Amino acid sequence: MQRTAFSPSPVFFALLLLGATALLPCGGVRGALAEDEPLSAEEEERLEAVEYHTERAWKAFRTGNHEEVLARVKRVAKYDPKSPLPAYLGGRVHERTGNYAEALKVSTAGAAAHPEHRGIEAVRLKTLFETGQYDVLTTAARASLERQAGNVCLL
């Protein structure tokens, strides 16, 4: 079966499903700190900085201020090195601006560091699709769907 540039494959639909489920919560997520544990002043400042820069990064992303998004996610990474936000928003900004090589680099590293984050994986798969790397996309999408098999929420 020969495909044209716009004939979607089953993997494309799997990519859409993966992206659509990226934002659906599949259950309660408990915070890293229990509410009854007192925070040190330093830890409270760090958490406030993470929250502030996260909010500003999302605001900049919604308004299309890509340079500010990248600056804000660098700050988030500085205060919270384990946060998936730099990989997710950084990958989306690079993909949105057509810098596909950097988007693929950021999202691939982010997907390896945060295999449970479906949004990062969706950015990676979309970038593979946009760059025409269909063989890699097919393999990556199948592997991702197998990893997420028990963690897919349907509407």
Side-chain angles (χ1 to χ4, degrees):
M1 179 176 178
Q2 193 169 10
R3 298 190 188 279
T4 62
F6 284 98
S7 64
S9 70
V11 175
F12 178 71
F13 291 113
L15 171 64
L16 287 177
L17 175 63
L18 189 65
T21 60
L23 301 177
L24 296 176
C26 289
V29 178
R30 186 183 159 117
L33 300 173
E35 290 183 26
D36 56 349
E37 292 180 20
L39 297 175
S40 67
E42 181 179 287
E43 179 65 9
E44 192 160 329
E45 282 182 28
R46 186 188 73 79
L47 291 174
E48 286 176 5
V50 168
E51 183 179 354
Y52 174 77
H53 291 298
T54 297
E55 289 174 8
R56 300 298 292 183
W58 276 109
K59 183 178 180 183
F61 183 77
R62 285 190 301 269
T63 60
N65 189 345
H66 301 123
E67 294 81 20
E68 184 176 350
V69 173
L70 295 175
R72 295 290 178 177
V73 296
K74 281 183 186 176
R75 291 180 188 141
V76 170
K78 174 184 161 190
Y79 290 110
D80 186 5
K82 294 182 181 180
S83 174
L85 185 73
Y88 178 64
L89 274 185
R92 286 194 62 189
V93 164
H94 290 302
E95 189 270 331
R96 186 188 263 187
T97 58
N99 188 354
Y100 296 117
E102 190 64 23
L104 191 56
K105 177 182 164 188
V106 169
S107 61
T108 300
H114 306 282
E116 75 289 348
H117 196 286
R118 291 178 278 178
I120 297 172
E121 185 67 9
V123 171
R124 183 171 86 94
L125 296 175
K126 183 175 184 223
T127 304
L128 288 169
F129 180 78
E130 294 291 333
T131 57
Q133 299 179 43
Y134 302 119
D135 292 337
V136 178
L137 169 64
T138 302
T139 304
R142 286 187 179 138
S144 181
L145 289 171
E146 286 174 9
R147 276 193 313 275
Q148 301 287 340
N151 193 22
V152 175
C153 297
L154 300 176
L155 298 175

